[in-house]
Amino acid sequence: MRKEIKAKMKDTADYIFHNPELSLKEYKSSRKLAEFLESEGFKVRWGIAGFETAFAAEWSSGQDRNEQGKNVQTGVEPVIGFLAEYDALPGLGQECVPRQQQDGGPGHGCGHNLLGTACAGAACDLKDRMQAENLPGIIRVYGCPAEEIVVGKIRMNEQGVFDDLSVAVTWHPFDRNRVSYDIWQAQDIKNYKFYGTAAHASKHPEMGRSALDAAELMNVGANYLREHVTDDVRMHYTYTNTDGPANIVPAYASTNYFIRSNKWERTEDASKRVDNCARGAALMTGTKVEIERVTCNKEMKVNRTLAEIFYEEMKKIPAPSYTEGELKFAEEISEEAGFDNRGEYFTGLEPLEDEPVPLSIGTDVSDVSHTVPTVMLSAAAMCKETPLHHWAATAQVGMSIGQKGMFYAAECMAAGAYRLVREPELIRKAWQEMVR
Protein backbone atom coordinates (compact mmCIF):
# COMPACT_ATOMS: atom_id res chain seq x y z
CA MET A 1 0.00 0.00 0.00
CA ARG A 2 1.33 3.43 -0.97
CA LYS A 3 2.56 5.72 1.81
CA GLU A 4 0.27 8.43 0.46
CA ILE A 5 -2.78 6.23 0.99
CA LYS A 6 -1.74 5.42 4.55
CA ALA A 7 -1.16 9.10 5.31
CA LYS A 8 -4.63 9.96 4.00
CA MET A 9 -6.13 7.11 6.01
CA LYS A 10 -4.55 8.36 9.24
CA ASP A 11 -5.70 11.90 8.57
CA THR A 12 -9.25 10.77 7.75
CA ALA A 13 -9.56 8.46 10.77
CA ASP A 14 -8.25 11.17 13.09
CA TYR A 15 -10.67 13.73 11.68
CA ILE A 16 -13.72 11.47 12.00
CA PHE A 17 -12.68 10.48 15.54
CA HIS A 18 -12.40 14.10 16.64
CA ASN A 19 -15.64 15.07 14.89
CA PRO A 20 -18.00 12.30 16.07
CA GLU A 21 -21.50 12.49 14.62
CA LEU A 22 -24.60 10.48 15.42
CA SER A 23 -26.57 8.38 12.95
CA LEU A 24 -28.06 10.34 10.02
CA LYS A 25 -26.07 13.42 11.08
CA GLU A 26 -22.67 12.33 9.72
CA TYR A 27 -22.18 15.42 7.55
CA LYS A 28 -18.52 16.10 8.30
CA SER A 29 -17.56 12.43 8.54
CA SER A 30 -19.09 11.39 5.23
CA ARG A 31 -17.68 14.45 3.47
CA LYS A 32 -14.16 13.77 4.77
CA LEU A 33 -14.27 10.16 3.61
CA ALA A 34 -15.61 11.16 0.19
CA GLU A 35 -12.87 13.78 -0.21
CA PHE A 36 -10.26 11.11 0.48
CA LEU A 37 -11.71 8.94 -2.28
CA GLU A 38 -12.07 11.82 -4.72
CA SER A 39 -8.39 12.66 -4.23
CA GLU A 40 -7.61 9.10 -5.37
CA GLY A 41 -9.65 9.32 -8.57
CA PHE A 42 -13.05 8.06 -7.45
CA LYS A 43 -16.22 9.77 -8.67
CA VAL A 44 -18.71 10.42 -5.88
CA ARG A 45 -22.52 10.51 -6.05
CA TRP A 46 -24.46 11.78 -3.04
CA GLY A 47 -27.95 11.22 -1.68
CA ILE A 48 -27.97 7.46 -2.19
CA ALA A 49 -31.34 5.93 -1.19
CA GLY A 50 -32.48 9.37 -0.08
CA PHE A 51 -29.92 9.75 2.72
CA GLU A 52 -28.12 13.08 2.83
CA THR A 53 -25.01 11.46 4.29
CA ALA A 54 -24.88 8.41 1.99
CA PHE A 55 -22.67 8.27 -1.09
CA ALA A 56 -21.30 5.91 -3.70
CA ALA A 57 -17.72 6.46 -4.83
CA GLU A 58 -16.76 4.61 -8.02
CA TRP A 59 -13.66 3.91 -10.05
CA SER A 60 -13.81 1.89 -13.29
CA SER A 61 -11.06 0.39 -15.38
CA GLY A 62 -13.00 1.67 -18.40
CA GLN A 63 -13.98 -1.70 -19.85
CA ASP A 64 -17.35 -2.28 -21.58
CA ARG A 65 -20.15 -2.05 -19.00
CA ASN A 66 -23.22 -2.47 -21.19
CA GLU A 67 -24.37 -5.56 -19.31
CA GLN A 68 -23.95 -5.30 -15.59
CA GLY A 69 -26.85 -7.10 -13.95
CA LYS A 70 -25.57 -10.21 -12.26
CA ASN A 71 -22.23 -9.50 -13.92
CA VAL A 72 -20.48 -12.68 -12.80
CA GLN A 73 -22.89 -14.72 -14.89
CA THR A 74 -22.70 -12.60 -18.06
CA GLY A 75 -18.92 -12.44 -18.22
CA VAL A 76 -18.80 -8.68 -17.69
CA GLU A 77 -16.16 -7.14 -15.42
CA PRO A 78 -16.51 -7.71 -11.68
CA VAL A 79 -17.97 -5.01 -9.45
CA ILE A 80 -16.41 -5.03 -5.98
CA GLY A 81 -18.28 -3.08 -3.31
CA PHE A 82 -16.79 -1.93 0.00
CA LEU A 83 -19.29 -1.06 2.74
CA ALA A 84 -18.08 1.90 4.78
CA GLU A 85 -19.57 3.23 8.03
CA TYR A 86 -18.83 6.36 10.05
CA ASP A 87 -21.55 7.05 12.64
CA ALA A 88 -20.73 7.47 16.32
CA LEU A 89 -22.59 6.54 19.50
CA PRO A 90 -24.26 8.85 22.03
CA GLY A 91 -22.45 9.45 25.32
CA LEU A 92 -19.23 7.66 24.38
CA GLY A 93 -16.95 10.65 23.84
CA GLN A 94 -13.66 9.73 25.50
CA GLU A 95 -10.08 11.00 25.50
CA CYS A 96 -7.37 8.65 24.23
CA VAL A 97 -6.09 7.91 27.73
CA PRO A 98 -6.09 4.61 29.67
CA ARG A 99 -8.68 5.80 32.20
CA GLN A 100 -12.31 6.81 31.96
CA GLN A 101 -12.34 10.44 30.88
CA GLN A 102 -15.61 11.00 29.05
CA ASP A 103 -17.03 14.32 27.91
CA GLY A 104 -20.70 13.32 27.69
CA GLY A 105 -20.85 13.81 23.93
CA PRO A 106 -20.90 11.26 21.10
CA GLY A 107 -17.90 9.04 20.53
CA HIS A 108 -16.61 6.20 18.38
CA GLY A 109 -17.10 3.37 20.84
CA CYS A 110 -17.59 0.99 17.90
CA GLY A 111 -14.58 2.15 15.88
CA HIS A 112 -16.48 3.44 12.87
CA ASN A 113 -13.88 6.17 12.41
CA LEU A 114 -11.60 3.28 11.42
CA LEU A 115 -14.20 1.13 9.68
CA GLY A 116 -15.08 3.47 6.83
CA THR A 117 -11.52 4.69 6.46
CA ALA A 118 -10.11 1.18 6.05
CA CYS A 119 -12.73 0.40 3.40
CA ALA A 120 -11.66 3.51 1.48
CA GLY A 121 -7.99 2.59 1.87
CA ALA A 122 -8.63 -0.95 0.65
CA ALA A 123 -10.46 0.40 -2.41
CA CYS A 124 -7.57 2.72 -3.26
CA ASP A 125 -5.01 -0.06 -2.87
CA LEU A 126 -7.10 -2.39 -5.05
CA LYS A 127 -7.32 0.35 -7.68
CA ASP A 128 -3.52 0.65 -7.72
CA ARG A 129 -3.14 -3.10 -8.23
CA MET A 130 -5.71 -3.23 -11.00
CA GLN A 131 -4.15 -0.29 -12.82
CA ALA A 132 -0.69 -1.82 -12.56
CA GLU A 133 -1.89 -5.03 -14.23
CA ASN A 134 -4.56 -3.49 -16.48
CA LEU A 135 -7.24 -5.67 -14.87
CA PRO A 136 -10.88 -5.00 -15.80
CA GLY A 137 -13.34 -4.16 -13.09
CA ILE A 138 -15.27 -1.60 -11.11
CA ILE A 139 -14.63 -0.61 -7.51
CA ARG A 140 -17.28 1.06 -5.40
CA VAL A 141 -17.16 2.38 -1.87
CA TYR A 142 -20.58 2.88 -0.36
CA GLY A 143 -20.77 5.48 2.37
CA CYS A 144 -23.41 3.90 4.59
CA PRO A 145 -24.96 6.05 7.33
CA ALA A 146 -26.81 5.06 10.48
CA GLU A 147 -25.52 1.54 11.11
CA GLU A 148 -25.85 2.05 14.85
CA ILE A 149 -29.61 2.45 14.54
CA VAL A 150 -29.82 -0.36 11.93
CA VAL A 151 -31.25 1.80 9.17
CA GLY A 152 -28.72 2.75 6.49
CA LYS A 153 -28.00 -0.43 4.55
CA ILE A 154 -31.53 -1.72 5.14
CA ARG A 155 -33.06 1.08 3.08
CA MET A 156 -30.18 1.07 0.60
CA ASN A 157 -30.65 -2.65 0.05
CA GLU A 158 -34.44 -2.32 -0.27
CA GLN A 159 -33.92 0.27 -3.01
CA GLY A 160 -31.58 -1.98 -4.99
CA VAL A 161 -28.37 -0.05 -4.34
CA PHE A 162 -26.27 -3.22 -4.09
CA ASP A 163 -28.03 -5.31 -6.73
CA ASP A 164 -25.32 -5.20 -9.40
CA LEU A 165 -22.39 -6.02 -7.14
CA SER A 166 -20.32 -9.13 -7.66
CA VAL A 167 -19.20 -9.21 -4.02
CA ALA A 168 -19.60 -6.99 -0.95
CA VAL A 169 -16.61 -6.59 1.38
CA THR A 170 -16.36 -4.99 4.80
CA TRP A 171 -14.80 -5.39 8.25
CA HIS A 172 -15.38 -4.43 11.85
CA PRO A 173 -12.97 -3.33 14.56
CA PHE A 174 -12.78 -5.91 17.35
CA ASP A 175 -10.20 -7.19 19.83
CA ARG A 176 -8.78 -9.90 17.55
CA ASN A 177 -7.80 -10.69 13.96
CA ARG A 178 -9.94 -13.17 12.05
CA VAL A 179 -12.38 -13.71 9.23
CA SER A 180 -15.73 -12.88 10.78
CA TYR A 181 -17.37 -16.19 9.93
CA ASP A 182 -20.23 -15.18 12.18
CA ILE A 183 -24.00 -15.23 12.19
CA TRP A 184 -24.85 -11.72 13.27
CA GLN A 185 -28.35 -11.73 14.70
CA ALA A 186 -31.66 -11.10 12.99
CA GLN A 187 -33.32 -8.17 14.74
CA ASP A 188 -36.77 -6.64 15.06
CA ILE A 189 -36.76 -3.22 16.73
CA LYS A 190 -40.10 -1.78 17.83
CA ASN A 191 -41.67 1.00 19.85
CA TYR A 192 -44.78 0.26 21.92
CA LYS A 193 -46.88 3.36 22.65
CA PHE A 194 -49.67 3.12 25.23
CA TYR A 195 -52.49 5.66 25.48
CA GLY A 196 -54.67 5.91 28.57
CA THR A 197 -56.71 8.47 30.48
CA ALA A 198 -55.27 10.96 32.96
CA ALA A 199 -56.91 11.49 36.34
CA HIS A 200 -56.01 12.57 39.86
CA ALA A 201 -54.23 9.54 41.24
CA SER A 202 -55.63 9.98 44.76
CA LYS A 203 -59.02 11.70 44.47
CA HIS A 204 -60.34 10.05 41.29
CA PRO A 205 -58.19 6.99 40.54
CA GLU A 206 -61.24 5.12 39.22
CA MET A 207 -61.44 7.59 36.34
CA GLY A 208 -57.87 6.98 35.23
CA ARG A 209 -56.54 4.37 32.84
CA SER A 210 -52.79 4.12 33.35
CA ALA A 211 -50.63 3.83 30.25
CA LEU A 212 -47.68 3.20 32.54
CA ASP A 213 -49.45 0.23 34.13
CA ALA A 214 -49.94 -1.16 30.64
CA ALA A 215 -46.26 -0.75 29.79
CA GLU A 216 -45.23 -2.43 33.03
CA LEU A 217 -47.64 -5.33 32.55
CA MET A 218 -46.37 -5.78 29.00
CA ASN A 219 -42.82 -6.06 30.31
CA VAL A 220 -43.92 -8.60 32.92
CA GLY A 221 -45.44 -10.67 30.14
CA ALA A 222 -42.32 -10.40 28.01
CA ASN A 223 -40.17 -11.49 30.94
CA TYR A 224 -42.33 -14.59 31.47
CA LEU A 225 -42.09 -15.23 27.73
CA ARG A 226 -38.31 -15.70 28.07
CA GLU A 227 -38.93 -19.18 29.47
CA HIS A 228 -40.67 -20.25 26.28
CA VAL A 229 -38.34 -19.21 23.50
CA THR A 230 -35.16 -20.82 22.18
CA ASP A 231 -31.87 -20.05 23.90
CA ASP A 232 -30.65 -17.74 21.15
CA VAL A 233 -33.61 -15.34 21.44
CA ARG A 234 -32.85 -12.02 23.14
CA MET A 235 -35.51 -9.52 24.23
CA HIS A 236 -34.44 -6.29 25.87
CA TYR A 237 -36.32 -3.08 26.48
CA THR A 238 -36.23 0.38 27.95
CA TYR A 239 -38.83 2.96 28.89
CA THR A 240 -38.67 5.91 26.54
CA ASN A 241 -41.20 8.14 28.33
CA THR A 242 -41.51 8.56 32.12
CA ASP A 243 -42.68 12.18 32.35
CA GLY A 244 -45.18 13.47 34.89
CA PRO A 245 -45.61 13.54 38.68
CA ALA A 246 -46.89 10.48 40.54
CA ASN A 247 -50.19 12.15 41.53
CA ILE A 248 -51.44 12.03 37.93
CA VAL A 249 -52.47 8.75 36.33
CA PRO A 250 -50.14 8.57 33.29
CA ALA A 251 -52.02 9.00 30.04
CA TYR A 252 -49.02 8.02 27.91
CA ALA A 253 -46.10 5.62 28.24
CA SER A 254 -43.77 4.05 25.72
CA THR A 255 -41.11 1.36 25.51
CA ASN A 256 -38.48 0.42 22.96
CA TYR A 257 -37.75 -3.27 22.34
CA PHE A 258 -34.93 -5.10 20.58
CA ILE A 259 -35.96 -8.67 19.74
CA ARG A 260 -33.19 -10.83 18.28
CA SER A 261 -32.15 -14.39 17.42
CA ASN A 262 -29.89 -16.25 15.01
CA LYS A 263 -32.69 -16.82 12.46
CA TRP A 264 -35.23 -14.35 11.17
CA GLU A 265 -38.03 -16.91 11.52
CA ARG A 266 -37.42 -17.20 15.28
CA THR A 267 -37.05 -13.45 15.67
CA GLU A 268 -40.31 -12.86 13.84
CA ASP A 269 -42.13 -15.45 15.95
CA ALA A 270 -40.86 -13.97 19.23
CA SER A 271 -41.72 -10.47 18.02
CA LYS A 272 -45.33 -11.45 17.30
CA ARG A 273 -45.60 -12.91 20.79
CA VAL A 274 -44.22 -9.72 22.33
CA ASP A 275 -46.87 -7.84 20.35
CA ASN A 276 -49.50 -10.02 22.01
CA CYS A 277 -48.05 -9.18 25.43
CA ALA A 278 -48.59 -5.52 24.57
CA ARG A 279 -52.14 -6.09 23.34
CA GLY A 280 -52.97 -8.13 26.43
CA ALA A 281 -51.59 -5.42 28.71
CA ALA A 282 -53.69 -2.80 26.94
CA LEU A 283 -56.79 -4.99 27.36
CA MET A 284 -56.08 -5.48 31.08
CA THR A 285 -55.70 -1.77 31.73
CA GLY A 286 -58.37 -0.33 29.46
CA THR A 287 -55.77 1.48 27.36
CA LYS A 288 -54.82 1.41 23.70
CA VAL A 289 -51.49 0.39 22.23
CA GLU A 290 -49.78 1.45 19.02
CA ILE A 291 -47.02 -0.85 17.74
CA GLU A 292 -44.39 0.86 15.61
CA ARG A 293 -41.66 -1.08 13.83
CA VAL A 294 -38.52 1.05 13.83
CA THR A 295 -36.44 -1.29 11.67
CA CYS A 296 -35.59 -4.94 11.21
CA ASN A 297 -32.91 -7.05 9.57
CA LYS A 298 -32.20 -10.68 8.77
CA GLU A 299 -29.34 -12.73 10.13
CA MET A 300 -25.95 -12.75 8.40
CA LYS A 301 -25.72 -15.20 5.50
CA VAL A 302 -22.13 -16.40 5.61
CA ASN A 303 -20.29 -17.44 2.45
CA ARG A 304 -17.73 -20.19 2.93
CA THR A 305 -16.09 -19.58 -0.43
CA LEU A 306 -15.30 -15.96 0.37
CA ALA A 307 -14.33 -16.76 3.96
CA GLU A 308 -11.70 -19.25 2.79
CA ILE A 309 -10.33 -16.93 0.10
CA PHE A 310 -9.91 -13.98 2.45
CA TYR A 311 -8.49 -16.20 5.18
CA GLU A 312 -5.83 -17.50 2.81
CA GLU A 313 -4.88 -13.94 1.93
CA MET A 314 -4.87 -12.82 5.58
CA LYS A 315 -2.38 -15.57 6.38
CA LYS A 316 0.10 -13.92 4.00
CA ILE A 317 -0.06 -10.51 5.69
CA PRO A 318 1.78 -10.01 9.00
CA ALA A 319 -0.46 -9.02 11.88
CA PRO A 320 0.46 -5.74 13.58
CA SER A 321 3.27 -5.54 16.11
CA TYR A 322 3.15 -3.10 19.00
CA THR A 323 5.55 -0.70 20.67
CA GLU A 324 6.39 -0.77 24.36
CA GLY A 325 4.26 2.34 24.77
CA GLU A 326 1.25 0.70 23.13
CA LEU A 327 1.60 -2.43 25.24
CA LYS A 328 1.86 -0.27 28.36
CA PHE A 329 -1.33 1.53 27.31
CA ALA A 330 -3.08 -1.82 26.85
CA GLU A 331 -1.87 -2.95 30.28
CA GLU A 332 -3.09 0.21 31.98
CA ILE A 333 -6.47 0.31 30.31
CA SER A 334 -7.01 -3.41 30.99
CA GLU A 335 -6.32 -2.86 34.68
CA GLU A 336 -8.46 0.27 34.82
CA ALA A 337 -11.44 -1.32 33.05
CA GLY A 338 -11.06 -4.75 34.67
CA PHE A 339 -10.48 -6.78 31.52
CA ASP A 340 -9.72 -10.44 32.16
CA ASN A 341 -7.08 -10.86 29.45
CA ARG A 342 -4.31 -12.12 31.78
CA GLY A 343 -1.74 -9.89 30.16
CA GLU A 344 -2.29 -11.27 26.65
CA TYR A 345 -3.26 -8.04 24.92
CA PHE A 346 -2.83 -8.89 21.23
CA THR A 347 -2.43 -12.07 19.19
CA GLY A 348 -1.98 -12.93 15.53
CA LEU A 349 -4.49 -14.26 13.03
CA GLU A 350 -6.99 -16.70 14.50
CA PRO A 351 -7.95 -19.86 12.58
CA LEU A 352 -11.03 -19.92 10.39
CA GLU A 353 -13.78 -21.84 12.17
CA ASP A 354 -15.24 -24.96 10.58
CA GLU A 355 -18.79 -23.84 11.32
CA PRO A 356 -20.42 -20.38 11.50
CA VAL A 357 -20.23 -18.74 14.92
CA PRO A 358 -23.46 -17.28 16.37
CA LEU A 359 -23.03 -13.74 17.74
CA SER A 360 -25.28 -11.90 20.17
CA ILE A 361 -25.11 -8.65 18.21
CA GLY A 362 -26.55 -7.45 14.93
CA THR A 363 -25.63 -5.28 11.94
CA ASP A 364 -27.40 -3.96 8.87
CA VAL A 365 -24.68 -5.62 6.75
CA SER A 366 -26.71 -8.80 7.24
CA ASP A 367 -29.43 -7.77 4.80
CA VAL A 368 -26.80 -7.10 2.12
CA SER A 369 -25.56 -10.68 2.58
CA HIS A 370 -28.95 -11.95 1.36
CA THR A 371 -28.61 -9.90 -1.84
CA VAL A 372 -24.96 -10.41 -2.80
CA PRO A 373 -22.15 -12.69 -1.54
CA THR A 374 -20.66 -10.84 1.41
CA VAL A 375 -17.51 -11.24 3.48
CA MET A 376 -16.62 -9.47 6.71
CA LEU A 377 -13.23 -9.40 8.42
CA SER A 378 -12.28 -8.50 11.97
CA ALA A 379 -9.08 -6.77 13.02
CA ALA A 380 -7.73 -5.91 16.44
CA ALA A 381 -8.28 -2.21 16.94
CA MET A 382 -8.27 -2.64 20.72
CA CYS A 383 -6.71 -5.03 23.22
CA LYS A 384 -8.28 -8.37 24.08
CA GLU A 385 -11.51 -8.43 26.07
CA THR A 386 -12.36 -4.81 25.23
CA PRO A 387 -16.12 -4.70 24.64
CA LEU A 388 -17.65 -2.57 21.90
CA HIS A 389 -19.80 0.41 22.93
CA HIS A 390 -17.47 1.00 25.91
CA TRP A 391 -15.30 3.97 26.87
CA ALA A 392 -12.16 1.83 26.60
CA ALA A 393 -12.99 1.00 22.98
CA THR A 394 -13.26 4.70 22.18
CA ALA A 395 -9.93 5.41 23.85
CA GLN A 396 -8.11 2.83 21.73
CA VAL A 397 -9.70 3.39 18.31
CA GLY A 398 -8.61 7.02 18.43
CA MET A 399 -4.90 6.24 18.80
CA SER A 400 -2.14 4.20 17.18
CA ILE A 401 -3.47 0.85 18.49
CA GLY A 402 -6.69 1.32 16.55
CA GLN A 403 -4.93 2.70 13.50
CA LYS A 404 -2.69 -0.35 13.24
CA GLY A 405 -5.79 -2.52 13.11
CA MET A 406 -7.22 -0.22 10.45
CA PHE A 407 -4.15 -0.53 8.20
CA TYR A 408 -4.10 -4.30 8.64
CA ALA A 409 -7.80 -4.62 7.78
CA ALA A 410 -7.37 -2.45 4.69
CA GLU A 411 -4.47 -4.55 3.39
CA CYS A 412 -6.36 -7.79 4.03
CA MET A 413 -9.53 -6.58 2.31
CA ALA A 414 -7.54 -5.30 -0.67
CA ALA A 415 -5.63 -8.58 -0.98
CA GLY A 416 -8.79 -10.70 -0.92
CA ALA A 417 -10.59 -8.45 -3.39
CA TYR A 418 -7.56 -8.42 -5.70
CA ARG A 419 -7.62 -12.20 -5.83
CA LEU A 420 -11.29 -12.15 -6.80
CA VAL A 421 -10.60 -9.71 -9.62
CA ARG A 422 -7.71 -11.84 -10.89
CA GLU A 423 -9.67 -15.10 -10.55
CA PRO A 424 -13.29 -14.29 -11.43
CA GLU A 425 -14.19 -17.99 -11.34
CA LEU A 426 -14.03 -17.61 -7.54
CA ILE A 427 -16.79 -15.02 -7.72
CA ARG A 428 -18.91 -17.47 -9.72
CA LYS A 429 -18.27 -20.09 -7.04
CA ALA A 430 -19.36 -17.65 -4.31
CA TRP A 431 -22.58 -16.96 -6.24
CA GLN A 432 -23.26 -20.67 -6.68
CA GLU A 433 -23.01 -21.06 -2.91
CA MET A 434 -25.16 -17.97 -2.43
CA VAL A 435 -28.13 -19.28 -4.40
CA ARG A 436 -28.12 -22.79 -2.96
Side-chain angles (χ1 to χ4, degrees), residues 73-88:
Q73 299 176 26
T74 59
V76 182
E77 60 196 337
V79 184
I80 308 297
F82 294 92
L83 309 181
E85 300 165 15
Y86 29 73
D87 55 337

Side-chain angles (χ1 to χ4, degrees), residues 23-27 30 45-56 86 143-147 149-159 161-162 364:
S23 297
L24 300 176
K25 302 294 184 183
E26 316 96 326
Y27 299 107
S30 60
R45 292 182 293 115
W46 286 95
I48 304 300
F51 291 116
E52 287 184 281
T53 55
F55 66 83
Y86 29 73
C144 304
E147 189 279 336
I149 60 172
V150 200
V151 169
K153 297 180 201 68
I154 305 297
R155 188 196 298 177
M156 295 168 76
N157 189 60
E158 287 173 347
Q159 296 191 19
V161 170
F162 308 112
D364 60 6

Side-chain angles (χ1 to χ4, degrees), residues 215-403:
E216 290 187 295
L217 286 167
M218 175 201 170
N219 295 337
V220 170
N223 286 328
Y224 274 99
L225 178 59
R226 297 180 196 280
E227 184 182 358
H228 304 287
V229 294
T230 56
D231 290 345
D232 65 317
V233 172
R234 298 288 184 270
M235 298 175 287
H236 28 273
Y237 60 83
T238 186
Y239 290 93
T240 55
N241 182 288
T242 56
D243 294 340
N247 65 342
I248 301 175
V249 175
Y252 178 75
S254 58
T255 59
N256 173 255
Y257 264 74
F258 275 63
I259 304 156
R260 323 186 197 212
S261 79
N262 297 333
K263 291 289 288 184
W264 171 249
E265 291 80 5
R266 291 197 289 271
T267 296
E268 188 176 36
D269 176 70
S271 185
K272 289 177 180 177
R273 295 165 75 184
V274 171
D275 288 352
N276 286 335
C277 290
R279 296 185 183 104
L283 182 63
M284 284 189 284
T285 55
T287 61
K288 295 181 180 180
V289 63
E290 175 187 332
I291 302 172
E292 175 191 38
R293 171 173 277 162
V294 179
T295 188
C296 64
N297 65 270
K298 298 176 182 176
E299 74 281 358
M300 182 72 78
K301 187 172 185 178
V302 296
N303 192 287
R304 185 70 187 183
T305 299
L306 294 180
E308 290 179 351
I309 291 166
F310 278 76
Y311 177 65
E312 288 301 317
E313 296 307 311
M314 289 183 79
K315 289 196 296 184
K316 302 173 186 177
I317 299 170
S321 58
Y322 299 90
T323 66
E324 289 185 12
E326 289 163 343
L327 293 172
K328 180 66 173 175
F329 190 99
E331 178 186 6
E332 292 177 358
I333 205 167
S334 295
E335 183 176 349
E336 178 73 17
F339 298 153
D340 186 23
N341 52 34
R342 298 179 176 83
E344 185 181 49
Y345 306 118
F346 304 99
T347 53
L349 177 65
E350 296 190 357
L352 176 63
E353 291 87 358
D354 293 330
E355 298 293 334
V357 180
L359 292 186
S360 295
I361 53 178
T363 174
D364 60 6
V365 175
S366 295
D367 271 29
V368 182
S369 74
H370 288 259
T371 298
V372 58
T374 301
V375 63
M376 179 183 285
L377 309 184
S378 296
M382 54 202 78
C383 66
K384 278 198 165 183
E385 304 303 324
T386 304
L388 299 177
H389 297 200
H390 189 278
W391 67 264
T394 311
Q396 294 174 83
V397 302
M399 59 168 296
S400 58
I401 288 175
Q403 289 168 2

Side-chain angles (χ1 to χ4, degrees), residues 96-162:
C96 295
V97 294
R99 60 187 180 279
Q100 191 167 5
Q101 190 171 316
Q102 294 180 256
D103 58 20
H108 280 284
C110 212
H112 290 186
N113 61 309
L114 307 174
L115 197 164
T117 306
C119 287
C124 294
D125 188 46
L126 176 61
K127 169 180 166 285
D128 284 353
R129 297 183 190 213
M130 291 173 63
Q131 284 183 318
E133 298 185 27
N134 197 28
L135 295 173
I138 300 166
I139 306 170
R140 286 205 201 110
V141 179
Y142 292 97
C144 304
E147 189 279 336
E148 295 293 0
I149 60 172
V150 200
V151 169
K153 297 180 201 68
I154 305 297
R155 188 196 298 177
M156 295 168 76
N157 189 60
E158 287 173 347
Q159 296 191 19
V161 170
F162 308 112

